[in-house]
PDB file of all heavy atoms in Angstrom:
ATOM      1  N   SER D 166       3.152 -10.428 -12.359  1.00 89.00           N
ATOM      2  CA  SER D 166       2.475 -11.282 -11.380  1.00 89.00           C
ATOM      3  C   SER D 166       2.613 -10.820  -9.940  1.00 89.00           C
ATOM      4  O   SER D 166       1.931 -11.336  -9.068  1.00 89.00           O
ATOM      5  CB  SER D 166       2.999 -12.720 -11.488  1.00 89.00           C
ATOM      6  OG  SER D 166       2.691 -13.241 -12.766  1.00 89.00           O
ATOM      7  N   GLY D 167       3.487  -9.878  -9.673  1.00 94.00           N
ATOM      8  CA  GLY D 167       3.638  -9.349  -8.320  1.00 94.00           C
ATOM      9  C   GLY D 167       2.460  -8.461  -7.954  1.00 94.00           C
ATOM     10  O   GLY D 167       1.488  -8.334  -8.709  1.00 94.00           O
ATOM     11  N   LEU D 168       2.558  -7.839  -6.805  1.00 97.00           N
ATOM     12  CA  LEU D 168       1.467  -6.984  -6.359  1.00 97.00           C
ATOM     13  C   LEU D 168       2.029  -5.805  -5.566  1.00 97.00           C
ATOM     14  O   LEU D 168       2.974  -5.948  -4.802  1.00 97.00           O
ATOM     15  CB  LEU D 168       0.502  -7.779  -5.472  1.00 97.00           C
ATOM     16  CG  LEU D 168      -0.882  -7.186  -5.247  1.00 97.00           C
ATOM     17  CD1 LEU D 168      -1.637  -6.992  -6.558  1.00 97.00           C
ATOM     18  CD2 LEU D 168      -1.686  -8.077  -4.331  1.00 97.00           C
ATOM     19  N   CYS D 169       1.414  -4.656  -5.764  1.00 98.00           N
ATOM     20  CA  CYS D 169       1.815  -3.428  -5.075  1.00 98.00           C
ATOM     21  C   CYS D 169       1.442  -3.493  -3.591  1.00 98.00           C
ATOM     22  O   CYS D 169       0.519  -4.203  -3.188  1.00 98.00           O
ATOM     23  CB  CYS D 169       1.110  -2.221  -5.694  1.00 98.00           C
ATOM     24  SG  CYS D 169       1.513  -1.945  -7.425  1.00 98.00           S
ATOM     25  N   ALA D 170       2.149  -2.686  -2.806  1.00 98.00           N
ATOM     26  CA  ALA D 170       1.922  -2.640  -1.366  1.00 98.00           C
ATOM     27  C   ALA D 170       0.499  -2.207  -1.016  1.00 98.00           C
ATOM     28  O   ALA D 170      -0.118  -2.753  -0.095  1.00 98.00           O
ATOM     29  CB  ALA D 170       2.931  -1.686  -0.716  1.00 98.00           C
ATOM     30  N   GLU D 171      -0.025  -1.223  -1.755  1.00 98.00           N
ATOM     31  CA  GLU D 171      -1.352  -0.696  -1.450  1.00 98.00           C
ATOM     32  C   GLU D 171      -2.420  -1.773  -1.625  1.00 98.00           C
ATOM     33  O   GLU D 171      -3.294  -1.953  -0.772  1.00 98.00           O
ATOM     34  CB  GLU D 171      -1.685   0.494  -2.350  1.00 98.00           C
ATOM     35  CG  GLU D 171      -0.733   1.658  -2.193  1.00 98.00           C
ATOM     36  CD  GLU D 171       0.456   1.612  -3.154  1.00 98.00           C
ATOM     37  OE1 GLU D 171       1.068   0.530  -3.339  1.00 98.00           O
ATOM     38  OE2 GLU D 171       0.785   2.662  -3.727  1.00 98.00           O
ATOM     39  N   ARG D 172      -2.352  -2.509  -2.729  1.00 98.00           N
ATOM     40  CA  ARG D 172      -3.345  -3.564  -2.954  1.00 98.00           C
ATOM     41  C   ARG D 172      -3.143  -4.726  -2.001  1.00 98.00           C
ATOM     42  O   ARG D 172      -4.111  -5.349  -1.565  1.00 98.00           O
ATOM     43  CB  ARG D 172      -3.321  -4.020  -4.413  1.00 98.00           C
ATOM     44  CG  ARG D 172      -3.994  -2.993  -5.315  1.00 98.00           C
ATOM     45  CD  ARG D 172      -4.003  -3.416  -6.753  1.00 98.00           C
ATOM     46  NE  ARG D 172      -2.680  -3.143  -7.318  1.00 98.00           N
ATOM     47  CZ  ARG D 172      -2.195  -3.731  -8.399  1.00 98.00           C
ATOM     48  NH1 ARG D 172      -2.887  -4.649  -9.027  1.00 98.00           N
ATOM     49  NH2 ARG D 172      -1.002  -3.406  -8.851  1.00 98.00           N
ATOM     50  N   THR D 173      -1.890  -5.016  -1.639  1.00 98.00           N
ATOM     51  CA  THR D 173      -1.640  -6.070  -0.652  1.00 98.00           C
ATOM     52  C   THR D 173      -2.333  -5.718   0.664  1.00 98.00           C
ATOM     53  O   THR D 173      -3.002  -6.555   1.270  1.00 98.00           O
ATOM     54  CB  THR D 173      -0.125  -6.253  -0.435  1.00 98.00           C
ATOM     55  OG1 THR D 173       0.488  -6.591  -1.671  1.00 98.00           O
ATOM     56  CG2 THR D 173       0.165  -7.350   0.563  1.00 98.00           C
ATOM     57  N   ALA D 174      -2.188  -4.468   1.092  1.00 98.00           N
ATOM     58  CA  ALA D 174      -2.820  -4.032   2.347  1.00 98.00           C
ATOM     59  C   ALA D 174      -4.343  -4.058   2.235  1.00 98.00           C
ATOM     60  O   ALA D 174      -5.033  -4.552   3.132  1.00 98.00           O
ATOM     61  CB  ALA D 174      -2.336  -2.635   2.727  1.00 98.00           C
ATOM     62  N   LEU D 175      -4.867  -3.524   1.136  1.00 98.00           N
ATOM     63  CA  LEU D 175      -6.328  -3.480   0.966  1.00 98.00           C
ATOM     64  C   LEU D 175      -6.939  -4.872   0.886  1.00 98.00           C
ATOM     65  O   LEU D 175      -7.942  -5.160   1.541  1.00 98.00           O
ATOM     66  CB  LEU D 175      -6.689  -2.677  -0.286  1.00 98.00           C
ATOM     67  CG  LEU D 175      -6.524  -1.173  -0.166  1.00 98.00           C
ATOM     68  CD1 LEU D 175      -6.562  -0.517  -1.536  1.00 98.00           C
ATOM     69  CD2 LEU D 175      -7.584  -0.583   0.748  1.00 98.00           C
ATOM     70  N   PHE D 176      -6.336  -5.746   0.088  1.00 97.00           N
ATOM     71  CA  PHE D 176      -6.898  -7.086  -0.074  1.00 97.00           C
ATOM     72  C   PHE D 176      -6.763  -7.903   1.209  1.00 97.00           C
ATOM     73  O   PHE D 176      -7.647  -8.690   1.554  1.00 97.00           O
ATOM     74  CB  PHE D 176      -6.266  -7.805  -1.259  1.00 97.00           C
ATOM     75  CG  PHE D 176      -6.551  -7.154  -2.600  1.00 97.00           C
ATOM     76  CD1 PHE D 176      -5.694  -7.342  -3.660  1.00 97.00           C
ATOM     77  CD2 PHE D 176      -7.664  -6.344  -2.792  1.00 97.00           C
ATOM     78  CE1 PHE D 176      -5.947  -6.755  -4.898  1.00 97.00           C
ATOM     79  CE2 PHE D 176      -7.927  -5.749  -4.020  1.00 97.00           C
ATOM     80  CZ  PHE D 176      -7.062  -5.962  -5.082  1.00 97.00           C
ATOM     81  N   SER D 177      -5.672  -7.692   1.931  1.00 98.00           N
ATOM     82  CA  SER D 177      -5.507  -8.361   3.216  1.00 98.00           C
ATOM     83  C   SER D 177      -6.574  -7.882   4.204  1.00 98.00           C
ATOM     84  O   SER D 177      -7.185  -8.682   4.923  1.00 98.00           O
ATOM     85  CB  SER D 177      -4.111  -8.085   3.770  1.00 98.00           C
ATOM     86  OG  SER D 177      -3.927  -8.738   4.992  1.00 98.00           O
ATOM     87  N   ALA D 178      -6.820  -6.578   4.212  1.00 98.00           N
ATOM     88  CA  ALA D 178      -7.866  -6.021   5.090  1.00 98.00           C
ATOM     89  C   ALA D 178      -9.226  -6.601   4.728  1.00 98.00           C
ATOM     90  O   ALA D 178     -10.006  -6.963   5.617  1.00 98.00           O
ATOM     91  CB  ALA D 178      -7.887  -4.497   4.985  1.00 98.00           C
ATOM     92  N   GLY D 179      -9.516  -6.695   3.432  1.00 97.00           N
ATOM     93  CA  GLY D 179     -10.799  -7.243   2.996  1.00 97.00           C
ATOM     94  C   GLY D 179     -10.969  -8.703   3.381  1.00 97.00           C
ATOM     95  O   GLY D 179     -12.065  -9.135   3.742  1.00 97.00           O
ATOM     96  N   ALA D 180      -9.872  -9.470   3.320  1.00 97.00           N
ATOM     97  CA  ALA D 180      -9.934 -10.891   3.657  1.00 97.00           C
ATOM     98  C   ALA D 180     -10.016 -11.120   5.161  1.00 97.00           C
ATOM     99  O   ALA D 180     -10.732 -12.009   5.626  1.00 97.00           O
ATOM    100  CB  ALA D 180      -8.710 -11.612   3.088  1.00 97.00           C
ATOM    101  N   GLN D 181      -9.293 -10.316   5.934  1.00 97.00           N
ATOM    102  CA  GLN D 181      -9.224 -10.523   7.375  1.00 97.00           C
ATOM    103  C   GLN D 181     -10.276  -9.755   8.168  1.00 97.00           C
ATOM    104  O   GLN D 181     -10.601 -10.138   9.290  1.00 97.00           O
ATOM    105  CB  GLN D 181      -7.837 -10.119   7.892  1.00 97.00           C
ATOM    106  CG  GLN D 181      -6.718 -10.975   7.349  1.00 97.00           C
ATOM    107  CD  GLN D 181      -5.367 -10.502   7.867  1.00 97.00           C
ATOM    108  OE1 GLN D 181      -5.220 -10.208   9.043  1.00 97.00           O
ATOM    109  NE2 GLN D 181      -4.404 -10.406   6.979  1.00 97.00           N
ATOM    110  N   HIS D 182     -10.776  -8.667   7.588  1.00 97.00           N
ATOM    111  CA  HIS D 182     -11.723  -7.801   8.298  1.00 97.00           C
ATOM    112  C   HIS D 182     -12.869  -7.411   7.368  1.00 97.00           C
ATOM    113  O   HIS D 182     -13.060  -6.228   7.072  1.00 97.00           O
ATOM    114  CB  HIS D 182     -11.003  -6.541   8.817  1.00 97.00           C
ATOM    115  CG  HIS D 182      -9.805  -6.839   9.647  1.00 97.00           C
ATOM    116  ND1 HIS D 182      -9.885  -7.118  10.993  1.00 97.00           N
ATOM    117  CD2 HIS D 182      -8.491  -6.927   9.323  1.00 97.00           C
ATOM    118  CE1 HIS D 182      -8.669  -7.363  11.462  1.00 97.00           C
ATOM    119  NE2 HIS D 182      -7.811  -7.245  10.466  1.00 97.00           N
ATOM    120  N   PRO D 183     -13.635  -8.377   6.898  1.00 95.00           N
ATOM    121  CA  PRO D 183     -14.697  -8.059   5.939  1.00 95.00           C
ATOM    122  C   PRO D 183     -15.717  -7.075   6.524  1.00 95.00           C
ATOM    123  O   PRO D 183     -15.999  -7.093   7.719  1.00 95.00           O
ATOM    124  CB  PRO D 183     -15.332  -9.418   5.648  1.00 95.00           C
ATOM    125  CG  PRO D 183     -14.949 -10.291   6.795  1.00 95.00           C
ATOM    126  CD  PRO D 183     -13.638  -9.775   7.306  1.00 95.00           C
ATOM    127  N   GLY D 184     -16.195  -6.205   5.656  1.00 94.00           N
ATOM    128  CA  GLY D 184     -17.228  -5.265   6.057  1.00 94.00           C
ATOM    129  C   GLY D 184     -16.708  -3.998   6.707  1.00 94.00           C
ATOM    130  O   GLY D 184     -17.492  -3.146   7.114  1.00 94.00           O
ATOM    131  N   LYS D 185     -15.406  -3.843   6.808  1.00 96.00           N
ATOM    132  CA  LYS D 185     -14.819  -2.653   7.440  1.00 96.00           C
ATOM    133  C   LYS D 185     -14.355  -1.671   6.367  1.00 96.00           C
ATOM    134  O   LYS D 185     -13.587  -2.030   5.475  1.00 96.00           O
ATOM    135  CB  LYS D 185     -13.623  -3.013   8.310  1.00 96.00           C
ATOM    136  CG  LYS D 185     -13.914  -4.022   9.386  1.00 96.00           C
ATOM    137  CD  LYS D 185     -14.731  -3.419  10.491  1.00 96.00           C
ATOM    138  CE  LYS D 185     -14.910  -4.458  11.591  1.00 96.00           C
ATOM    139  NZ  LYS D 185     -16.003  -4.182  12.447  1.00 96.00           N
ATOM    140  N   ALA D 186     -14.796  -0.437   6.473  1.00 96.00           N
ATOM    141  CA  ALA D 186     -14.366   0.609   5.542  1.00 96.00           C
ATOM    142  C   ALA D 186     -12.922   0.994   5.844  1.00 96.00           C
ATOM    143  O   ALA D 186     -12.463   0.884   6.977  1.00 96.00           O
ATOM    144  CB  ALA D 186     -15.269   1.836   5.679  1.00 96.00           C
ATOM    145  N   VAL D 187     -12.222   1.458   4.829  1.00 98.00           N
ATOM    146  CA  VAL D 187     -10.871   1.991   5.005  1.00 98.00           C
ATOM    147  C   VAL D 187     -10.994   3.495   5.206  1.00 98.00           C
ATOM    148  O   VAL D 187     -11.525   4.198   4.353  1.00 98.00           O
ATOM    149  CB  VAL D 187      -9.977   1.678   3.786  1.00 98.00           C
ATOM    150  CG1 VAL D 187      -8.658   2.428   3.879  1.00 98.00           C
ATOM    151  CG2 VAL D 187      -9.731   0.181   3.671  1.00 98.00           C
ATOM    152  N   GLU D 188     -10.496   3.976   6.326  1.00 98.00           N
ATOM    153  CA  GLU D 188     -10.508   5.411   6.612  1.00 98.00           C
ATOM    154  C   GLU D 188      -9.261   6.098   6.075  1.00 98.00           C
ATOM    155  O   GLU D 188      -9.305   7.268   5.715  1.00 98.00           O
ATOM    156  CB  GLU D 188     -10.582   5.647   8.126  1.00 98.00           C
ATOM    157  CG  GLU D 188     -11.866   5.193   8.744  1.00 98.00           C
ATOM    158  CD  GLU D 188     -11.896   5.433  10.245  1.00 98.00           C
ATOM    159  OE1 GLU D 188     -10.834   5.582  10.891  1.00 98.00           O
ATOM    160  OE2 GLU D 188     -13.018   5.471  10.781  1.00 98.00           O
ATOM    161  N   MET D 189      -8.149   5.362   6.050  1.00 98.00           N
ATOM    162  CA  MET D 189      -6.875   5.979   5.711  1.00 98.00           C
ATOM    163  C   MET D 189      -5.940   4.948   5.106  1.00 98.00           C
ATOM    164  O   MET D 189      -5.964   3.780   5.492  1.00 98.00           O
ATOM    165  CB  MET D 189      -6.266   6.525   7.012  1.00 98.00           C
ATOM    166  CG  MET D 189      -5.045   7.354   6.872  1.00 98.00           C
ATOM    167  SD  MET D 189      -4.552   7.991   8.508  1.00 98.00           S
ATOM    168  CE  MET D 189      -6.047   8.847   9.015  1.00 98.00           C
ATOM    169  N   LEU D 190      -5.125   5.395   4.144  1.00 98.00           N
ATOM    170  CA  LEU D 190      -4.102   4.554   3.535  1.00 98.00           C
ATOM    171  C   LEU D 190      -2.817   5.366   3.466  1.00 98.00           C
ATOM    172  O   LEU D 190      -2.832   6.516   3.026  1.00 98.00           O
ATOM    173  CB  LEU D 190      -4.513   4.111   2.132  1.00 98.00           C
ATOM    174  CG  LEU D 190      -3.521   3.219   1.395  1.00 98.00           C
ATOM    175  CD1 LEU D 190      -4.251   2.183   0.561  1.00 98.00           C
ATOM    176  CD2 LEU D 190      -2.567   4.011   0.519  1.00 98.00           C
ATOM    177  N   ALA D 191      -1.717   4.781   3.908  1.00 98.00           N
ATOM    178  CA  ALA D 191      -0.406   5.429   3.829  1.00 98.00           C
ATOM    179  C   ALA D 191       0.510   4.598   2.957  1.00 98.00           C
ATOM    180  O   ALA D 191       0.437   3.361   2.965  1.00 98.00           O
ATOM    181  CB  ALA D 191       0.205   5.575   5.225  1.00 98.00           C
ATOM    182  N   VAL D 192       1.385   5.266   2.206  1.00 98.00           N
ATOM    183  CA  VAL D 192       2.340   4.570   1.338  1.00 98.00           C
ATOM    184  C   VAL D 192       3.682   5.280   1.390  1.00 98.00           C
ATOM    185  O   VAL D 192       3.755   6.515   1.439  1.00 98.00           O
ATOM    186  CB  VAL D 192       1.799   4.450  -0.111  1.00 98.00           C
ATOM    187  CG1 VAL D 192       1.564   5.811  -0.729  1.00 98.00           C
ATOM    188  CG2 VAL D 192       2.728   3.622  -0.980  1.00 98.00           C
ATOM    189  N   VAL D 193       4.752   4.473   1.409  1.00 98.00           N
ATOM    190  CA  VAL D 193       6.120   4.995   1.474  1.00 98.00           C
ATOM    191  C   VAL D 193       7.047   4.045   0.721  1.00 98.00           C
ATOM    192  O   VAL D 193       6.792   2.845   0.665  1.00 98.00           O
ATOM    193  CB  VAL D 193       6.568   5.160   2.951  1.00 98.00           C
ATOM    194  CG1 VAL D 193       6.543   3.853   3.692  1.00 98.00           C
ATOM    195  CG2 VAL D 193       7.941   5.813   3.046  1.00 98.00           C
ATOM    196  N   GLY D 194       8.110   4.593   0.136  1.00 98.00           N
ATOM    197  CA  GLY D 194       9.099   3.777  -0.556  1.00 98.00           C
ATOM    198  C   GLY D 194      10.425   3.775   0.188  1.00 98.00           C
ATOM    199  O   GLY D 194      10.709   4.665   0.994  1.00 98.00           O
ATOM    200  N   ARG D 195      11.235   2.757  -0.096  1.00 98.00           N
ATOM    201  CA  ARG D 195      12.597   2.678   0.436  1.00 98.00           C
ATOM    202  C   ARG D 195      13.480   2.236  -0.730  1.00 98.00           C
ATOM    203  O   ARG D 195      13.202   1.222  -1.371  1.00 98.00           O
ATOM    204  CB  ARG D 195      12.663   1.685   1.596  1.00 98.00           C
ATOM    205  CG  ARG D 195      14.003   1.711   2.331  1.00 98.00           C
ATOM    206  CD  ARG D 195      14.021   0.747   3.515  1.00 98.00           C
ATOM    207  NE  ARG D 195      13.094   1.073   4.580  1.00 98.00           N
ATOM    208  CZ  ARG D 195      13.315   1.933   5.558  1.00 98.00           C
ATOM    209  NH1 ARG D 195      14.451   2.599   5.608  1.00 98.00           N
ATOM    210  NH2 ARG D 195      12.415   2.138   6.498  1.00 98.00           N
ATOM    211  N   ASP D 196      14.521   3.006  -1.015  1.00 97.00           N
ATOM    212  CA  ASP D 196      15.374   2.690  -2.159  1.00 97.00           C
ATOM    213  C   ASP D 196      16.397   1.609  -1.821  1.00 97.00           C
ATOM    214  O   ASP D 196      16.450   1.113  -0.687  1.00 97.00           O
ATOM    215  CB  ASP D 196      16.037   3.958  -2.721  1.00 97.00           C
ATOM    216  CG  ASP D 196      17.047   4.608  -1.786  1.00 97.00           C
ATOM    217  OD1 ASP D 196      17.489   3.971  -0.805  1.00 97.00           O
ATOM    218  OD2 ASP D 196      17.403   5.770  -2.054  1.00 97.00           O
ATOM    219  N   ALA D 197      17.213   1.253  -2.800  1.00 96.00           N
ATOM    220  CA  ALA D 197      18.192   0.179  -2.633  1.00 96.00           C
ATOM    221  C   ALA D 197      19.218   0.487  -1.545  1.00 96.00           C
ATOM    222  O   ALA D 197      19.800  -0.430  -0.964  1.00 96.00           O
ATOM    223  CB  ALA D 197      18.908  -0.083  -3.961  1.00 96.00           C
ATOM    224  N   GLU D 198      19.435   1.768  -1.252  1.00 97.00           N
ATOM    225  CA  GLU D 198      20.365   2.154  -0.195  1.00 97.00           C
ATOM    226  C   GLU D 198      19.688   2.221   1.180  1.00 97.00           C
ATOM    227  O   GLU D 198      20.319   2.577   2.163  1.00 97.00           O
ATOM    228  CB  GLU D 198      21.015   3.511  -0.526  1.00 97.00           C
ATOM    229  CG  GLU D 198      22.047   3.439  -1.634  1.00 97.00           C
ATOM    230  CD  GLU D 198      21.415   3.334  -3.009  1.00 97.00           C
ATOM    231  OE1 GLU D 198      20.424   4.048  -3.269  1.00 97.00           O
ATOM    232  OE2 GLU D 198      21.899   2.526  -3.820  1.00 97.00           O
ATOM    233  N   GLY D 199      18.388   1.945   1.234  1.00 96.00           N
ATOM    234  CA  GLY D 199      17.673   1.930   2.504  1.00 96.00           C
ATOM    235  C   GLY D 199      17.070   3.257   2.912  1.00 96.00           C
ATOM    236  O   GLY D 199      16.522   3.372   4.009  1.00 96.00           O
ATOM    237  N   ARG D 200      17.152   4.271   2.041  1.00 97.00           N
ATOM    238  CA  ARG D 200      16.573   5.587   2.358  1.00 97.00           C
ATOM    239  C   ARG D 200      15.082   5.596   2.078  1.00 97.00           C
ATOM    240  O   ARG D 200      14.629   5.040   1.065  1.00 97.00           O
ATOM    241  CB  ARG D 200      17.235   6.674   1.514  1.00 97.00           C
ATOM    242  CG  ARG D 200      18.694   6.895   1.807  1.00 97.00           C
ATOM    243  CD  ARG D 200      19.231   7.954   0.860  1.00 97.00           C
ATOM    244  NE  ARG D 200      19.080   7.485  -0.508  1.00 97.00           N
ATOM    245  CZ  ARG D 200      20.077   7.364  -1.387  1.00 97.00           C
ATOM    246  NH1 ARG D 200      21.290   7.710  -1.053  1.00 97.00           N
ATOM    247  NH2 ARG D 200      19.844   6.928  -2.608  1.00 97.00           N
ATOM    248  N   LEU D 201      14.318   6.264   2.936  1.00 97.00           N
ATOM    249  CA  LEU D 201      12.895   6.466   2.669  1.00 97.00           C
ATOM    250  C   LEU D 201      12.767   7.471   1.538  1.00 97.00           C
ATOM    251  O   LEU D 201      13.414   8.523   1.558  1.00 97.00           O
ATOM    252  CB  LEU D 201      12.177   6.979   3.917  1.00 97.00           C
ATOM    253  CG  LEU D 201      12.119   6.007   5.093  1.00 97.00           C
ATOM    254  CD1 LEU D 201      11.408   6.660   6.266  1.00 97.00           C
ATOM    255  CD2 LEU D 201      11.460   4.703   4.712  1.00 97.00           C
ATOM    256  N   VAL D 202      11.938   7.135   0.551  1.00 97.00           N
ATOM    257  CA  VAL D 202      11.789   7.971  -0.639  1.00 97.00           C
ATOM    258  C   VAL D 202      10.321   8.089  -1.017  1.00 97.00           C
ATOM    259  O   VAL D 202       9.470   7.356  -0.516  1.00 97.00           O
ATOM    260  CB  VAL D 202      12.599   7.406  -1.835  1.00 97.00           C
ATOM    261  CG1 VAL D 202      14.097   7.471  -1.554  1.00 97.00           C
ATOM    262  CG2 VAL D 202      12.174   5.983  -2.161  1.00 97.00           C
ATOM    263  N   GLU D 203      10.060   8.975  -1.933  1.00 96.00           N
ATOM    264  CA  GLU D 203       8.690   9.243  -2.369  1.00 96.00           C
ATOM    265  C   GLU D 203       8.039   8.010  -2.997  1.00 96.00           C
ATOM    266  O   GLU D 203       8.666   7.264  -3.743  1.00 96.00           O
ATOM    267  CB  GLU D 203       8.697  10.381  -3.391  1.00 96.00           C
ATOM    268  CG  GLU D 203       7.308  10.785  -3.817  1.00 96.00           C
ATOM    269  CD  GLU D 203       7.281  12.072  -4.629  1.00 96.00           C
ATOM    270  OE1 GLU D 203       8.319  12.743  -4.740  1.00 96.00           O
ATOM    271  OE2 GLU D 203       6.194  12.385  -5.133  1.00 96.00           O
ATOM    272  N   ALA D 204       6.768   7.847  -2.683  1.00 96.00           N
ATOM    273  CA  ALA D 204       5.959   6.791  -3.286  1.00 96.00           C
ATOM    274  C   ALA D 204       4.524   7.293  -3.391  1.00 96.00           C
ATOM    275  O   ALA D 204       4.051   8.042  -2.536  1.00 96.00           O
ATOM    276  CB  ALA D 204       6.009   5.516  -2.449  1.00 96.00           C
ATOM    277  N   SER D 205       3.874   6.890  -4.454  1.00 96.00           N
ATOM    278  CA  SER D 205       2.484   7.263  -4.692  1.00 96.00           C
ATOM    279  C   SER D 205       1.803   6.082  -5.371  1.00 96.00           C
ATOM    280  O   SER D 205       2.441   5.378  -6.156  1.00 96.00           O
ATOM    281  CB  SER D 205       2.444   8.507  -5.589  1.00 96.00           C
ATOM    282  OG  SER D 205       1.126   8.934  -5.792  1.00 96.00           O
ATOM    283  N   PRO D 206       0.534   5.844  -5.102  1.00 97.00           N
ATOM    284  CA  PRO D 206      -0.144   4.698  -5.709  1.00 97.00           C
ATOM    285  C   PRO D 206      -0.147   4.757  -7.239  1.00 97.00           C
ATOM    286  O   PRO D 206      -0.331   5.827  -7.826  1.00 97.00           O
ATOM    287  CB  PRO D 206      -1.578   4.805  -5.170  1.00 97.00           C
ATOM    288  CG  PRO D 206      -1.444   5.598  -3.907  1.00 97.00           C
ATOM    289  CD  PRO D 206      -0.328   6.571  -4.169  1.00 97.00           C
ATOM    290  N   CYS D 207       0.051   3.606  -7.862  1.00 95.00           N
ATOM    291  CA  CYS D 207      -0.014   3.507  -9.320  1.00 95.00           C
ATOM    292  C   CYS D 207      -1.485   3.575  -9.764  1.00 95.00           C
ATOM    293  O   CYS D 207      -2.403   3.585  -8.934  1.00 95.00           O
ATOM    294  CB  CYS D 207       0.627   2.203  -9.797  1.00 95.00           C
ATOM    295  SG  CYS D 207      -0.335   0.713  -9.414  1.00 95.00           S
ATOM    296  N   GLY D 208      -1.715   3.602 -11.043  1.00 93.00           N
ATOM    297  CA  GLY D 208      -3.076   3.696 -11.566  1.00 93.00           C
ATOM    298  C   GLY D 208      -3.962   2.536 -11.146  1.00 93.00           C
ATOM    299  O   GLY D 208      -5.134   2.734 -10.788  1.00 93.00           O
ATOM    300  N   ALA D 209      -3.430   1.317 -11.184  1.00 94.00           N
ATOM    301  CA  ALA D 209      -4.230   0.154 -10.776  1.00 94.00           C
ATOM    302  C   ALA D 209      -4.621   0.253  -9.305  1.00 94.00           C
ATOM    303  O   ALA D 209      -5.769  -0.016  -8.932  1.00 94.00           O
ATOM    304  CB  ALA D 209      -3.456  -1.138 -11.040  1.00 94.00           C
ATOM    305  N   CYS D 210      -3.682   0.668  -8.470  1.00 96.00           N
ATOM    306  CA  CYS D 210      -3.985   0.829  -7.034  1.00 96.00           C
ATOM    307  C   CYS D 210      -5.020   1.920  -6.825  1.00 96.00           C
ATOM    308  O   CYS D 210      -5.927   1.779  -6.006  1.00 96.00           O
ATOM    309  CB  CYS D 210      -2.717   1.138  -6.252  1.00 96.00           C
ATOM    310  SG  CYS D 210      -1.619  -0.291  -6.083  1.00 96.00           S
ATOM    311  N   ARG D 211      -4.899   3.011  -7.572  1.00 95.00           N
ATOM    312  CA  ARG D 211      -5.856   4.104  -7.432  1.00 95.00           C
ATOM    313  C   ARG D 211      -7.261   3.644  -7.798  1.00 95.00           C
ATOM    314  O   ARG D 211      -8.229   4.007  -7.128  1.00 95.00           O
ATOM    315  CB  ARG D 211      -5.429   5.295  -8.299  1.00 95.00           C
ATOM    316  CG  ARG D 211      -4.168   5.951  -7.791  1.00 95.00           C
ATOM    317  CD  ARG D 211      -3.651   7.034  -8.717  1.00 95.00           C
ATOM    318  NE  ARG D 211      -2.330   7.473  -8.271  1.00 95.00           N
ATOM    319  CZ  ARG D 211      -1.855   8.686  -8.422  1.00 95.00           C
ATOM    320  NH1 ARG D 211      -2.566   9.612  -9.036  1.00 95.00           N
ATOM    321  NH2 ARG D 211      -0.653   8.987  -7.985  1.00 95.00           N
TER     322      ARG D 211
END
């Protein structure tokens, strides 16, 4: 029932700024120790 960061950003953009194309999307992860780590969109987000 949760939602990925990419879809949260996209759906928020669609709700708040209808009719605007997305030029760029960035994604990053942070592990339990607080380090920035690799992240890539999942299949549903893609």
Side-chain angles (χ1 to χ4, degrees):
S166 297
L168 197 59
C169 298
E171 299 91 316
R172 285 181 281 159
T173 301
L175 286 166
F176 296 155
S177 181
Q181 296 178 44
H182 306 276
K185 303 287 184 200
V187 171
E188 294 179 339
M189 188 176 304
L190 180 144
V192 61
V193 60
R195 189 178 295 276
D196 67 15
E198 287 77 42
R200 294 178 299 237
L201 294 179
V202 294
E203 184 169 352
S205 183
C207 71
C210 287
R211 292 174 189 211

